[in-house]
Amino acid sequence: MSAPFTTGRLLVATPAIEEGVFRRSVVLVLHHGDDGAQGLVLNRPIEADIGAVLPGWEEHASRPATMFQGGPVQLDSALGLVAVPGDSPEPTGVRRLFGAVALVDLDTPPPLVAPEVAALRIFAGYAGWSPGQLEDELDTGSWYVVDPESGDVFTDTPDGLWRRVLRRQPEPLRWVAWFPSDPELN
């Protein structure tokens, strides 16, 4: 494998990705191994009412309390991420992935989970890569791989996440944050 596994890290779209759900996206990699990779786009809120899809969860969602498009795969499915504070044991229906980030089984009754977690975000779909596909995209320069900060996953201002993540990187990567949305207008 030419690129190291990126589980728990962020994939930040380079300006070379000019359209679609991955344009200026920030993806949290949930799993990356020889069998492929899965992640969630953190900065694509969509106009979808959580309560209409998953009754009972809407009142526990972190701001903005709307669904997010986690990626282009299986848009008819929902995944929930929660923050489990400190070294707390996993609540019922929760499986810790890395650090404080955990998946929540959305079939679990919300009152069993909500009091035990610090944040909740619900995603429609996910980003998926077949074996070797993400490595190829990394080799061709489609993504920057950076470390997350605690506020990235559950940010209340997802629209500015791409720029914020890039601005905190060392130079010259931080300069990409000022790359114009439409280079022809530069």
Side-chain angles (χ1 to χ4, degrees), residues 20-183:
V21 71
F22 292 123
R23 182 183 181 280
R24 293 198 173 204
S25 67
V26 178
V27 178
L28 176 66
V29 180
L30 303 178
H31 168 78
H32 185 190
D34 290 329
D35 57 344
Q38 295 84 36
L40 291 169
V41 177
L42 300 177
N43 59 331
R44 291 285 179 267
I46 56 176
E47 296 295 321
D49 179 28
I50 294 170
V53 179
L54 296 161
W57 286 103
E58 67 278 4
E59 64 205 54
H60 306 291
S62 300
R63 294 184 46 161
T66 188
M67 297 278 292
F68 279 66
Q69 183 176 352
V73 180
Q74 291 188 347
L75 290 172
D76 60 345
S77 67
L79 290 170
L81 282 185
V82 294
V84 179
D87 293 329
S88 301
E90 298 170 343
T92 300
V94 172
R95 182 174 58 88
R96 194 182 298 264
L97 297 172
F98 41 80
V101 176
L103 279 173
V104 61
D105 178 352
L106 296 170
D107 290 330
T108 305
L112 294 179
V113 177
E116 306 297 323
V117 299
L120 165 71
R121 177 116 325 133
I122 298 177
F123 299 86
Y126 65 93
W129 293 267
S130 60
Q133 184 181 5
L134 180 55
E135 293 81 5
D136 290 345
E137 291 181 18
L138 293 171
D139 288 344
T140 60
S142 296
W143 301 100
Y144 304 118
V145 179
V146 302
D147 291 325
E149 288 188 355
S150 60
D152 293 340
V153 177
F154 302 102
T155 180
D156 59 356
T157 54
D159 294 338
L161 185 61
W162 185 82
R163 275 200 164 88
R164 281 194 314 277
V165 169
L166 286 169
R167 283 182 186 152
R168 70 176 186 239
Q169 303 309 312
E171 294 177 357
L173 182 53
R174 77 176 331 151
W175 298 336
V176 177
W178 288 275
F179 192 86
S181 295
D182 184 350

